Amino acid sequence: MIISNYFHQEMDSEMKEFELVLKQLYMENRERALQDPHYMEEIQDIITSATKKCPNEFATLLVNQQLDEELFFHHGTDVEIFQHLRYLPASWHAHDFIEIACVLQGHCTNYILEQNLRMKEGDICIIAPGIRHAISAFSDDCLMLNFIIRTSTFETAFFSILDGNDILSDFFMRLLTHSKGYPYLLFSTGEDPELLNFIGYAYHEFQRNRQYKNRMMNSILNAFFITLLRNHGANVILPQT
């Protein structure tokens, strides 16, 4: 995916120190196949060893297989953004918030329930709360952002998305009402400059502590959802269930 100069300056694609430590541990433990999904107790020693060599606050949150909203969200925010750590051992987990995985460069594998999704540049996967999944990003060139959205405030923060007759409205309405629905939606957007701009705007806003930050983040995400539907709603990839 072609990343604009503005966005590239905001987001450094170089390997971070903690990622280099994870890569070293992966190379030293090739027989353990850390790129394949494991339960946390099977890989906890790797994460502990990595954080001892290079402290990382985010990695310490991953020891729980059930990840609660309050662990990941700042007070008064509906949306948080994390860059996925390359060479982080793939671990089965579930959480009570909505996750949007955006692959900006390279590729990764997203294991969701019994399905293995090979995600490439431009792929966007929306994962419902409570769904067991694991992400495997084991290449230097993988650049991936995870947007996470509070489920508890989704209806008020993104009410306009629910007021429609489309795949996204149905997906979100079902998860909010605890009705049976799809565990995920996958969009293959290619090099869509509109979507990339919204991702860049959101990341730029998230990095700064400005007035009305939460309202601006929600507005950007609303526009992102609408653009995703407008440009790629007819080509959504549904789970093989």
Side-chain angles (χ1 to χ4, degrees):
M1 177 175 286
I2 301 173
I3 301 177
S4 66
N5 290 334
Y6 169 76
F7 189 22
H8 189 269
Q9 291 172 0
E10 288 293 315
M11 188 171 186
D12 185 6
S13 61
E14 293 296 319
M15 293 273 288
K16 309 298 189 297
E17 182 182 0
F18 188 69
E19 291 176 313
L20 293 172
V21 171
L22 288 172
K23 182 178 181 180
Q24 180 184 0
L25 290 170
Y26 164 66
M27 299 299 290
E28 293 173 353
N29 296 271
R30 293 297 291 268
E31 74 283 355
R32 294 179 62 176
L34 297 173
Q35 73 277 8
D36 297 332
H38 293 74
Y39 290 101
M40 181 53 66
E41 56 267 23
E42 299 173 322
I43 57 171
Q44 190 167 358
D45 63 313
I46 296 291
I47 296 177
T48 301
S49 178
T51 53
K52 284 182 178 179
K53 294 182 179 182
C54 179
N56 185 280
E57 183 179 358
F58 178 76
T60 60
L61 297 175
L62 303 178
V63 295
N64 296 314
Q65 294 183 47
Q66 183 67 38
L67 306 176
D68 299 327
E69 277 190 1
E70 297 310 316
L71 290 174
F72 286 85
F73 290 86
H74 292 90
H75 177 71
T77 65
D78 298 311
V79 180
E80 301 275 344
I81 304 176
F82 297 95
Q83 182 177 344
H84 186 80
L85 293 168
R86 287 162 282 197
Y87 297 98
L88 180 71
S91 63
W92 290 117
H93 64 279
H95 41 66
D96 58 359
F97 46 80
I98 300 162
E99 180 178 343
I100 306 174
C102 305
V103 181
L104 304 177
Q105 180 178 291
H107 63 272
C108 69
T109 302
N110 198 346
Y111 299 88
I112 305 181
L113 299 178
E114 305 304 323
Q115 301 181 33
N116 304 344
L117 306 181
R118 181 74 168 175
M119 294 180 63
K120 60 185 183 304
E121 295 178 7
D123 283 358
I124 296 172
C125 186
I126 307 176
I127 305 170
I131 299 300
R132 189 186 70 157
H133 63 285
I135 294 178
S136 178
F138 278 71
S139 64
D140 292 4
D141 67 341
C142 181
L143 187 60
M144 180 179 181
L145 285 183
N146 290 327
F147 287 67
I148 63 173
I149 307 173
R150 283 187 191 268
T151 306
S152 57
T153 59
F154 189 92
E155 188 170 1
T156 54
F158 301 95
F159 65 91
S160 63
I161 297 299
L162 302 174
D163 186 23
N165 184 24
D166 52 69
I167 188 69
L168 269 185
S169 298
D170 182 69
F171 176 81
F172 289 127
M173 185 60 74
R174 286 179 182 272
L175 69 86
L176 291 177
T177 57
H178 306 287
S179 303
K180 186 176 181 180
Y182 293 118
Y184 69 85
L185 299 177
L186 178 63
F187 297 84
S188 186
T189 70
E191 296 183 3
D192 188 326
E194 283 189 279
L195 284 174
L196 184 60
N197 281 337
F198 283 121
I199 293 172
Y201 295 152
Y203 187 80
H204 176 79
E205 183 68 26
F206 180 74
Q207 293 294 102
R208 288 156 175 75
N209 188 23
R210 303 176 65 189
Q211 191 176 21
Y212 309 121
K213 175 180 176 178
N214 190 56
R215 289 167 62 181
M216 178 61 80
M217 287 290 294
N218 292 354
S219 296
I220 295 171
L221 261 292
N222 269 301
F224 168 84
F225 285 135
I226 293 170
T227 304
L228 187 62
L229 273 176
R230 175 186 287 170
N231 296 356
H232 306 282
N235 302 313
V236 61
I237 303 169
L238 301 175
Q240 299 173 9
T241 57

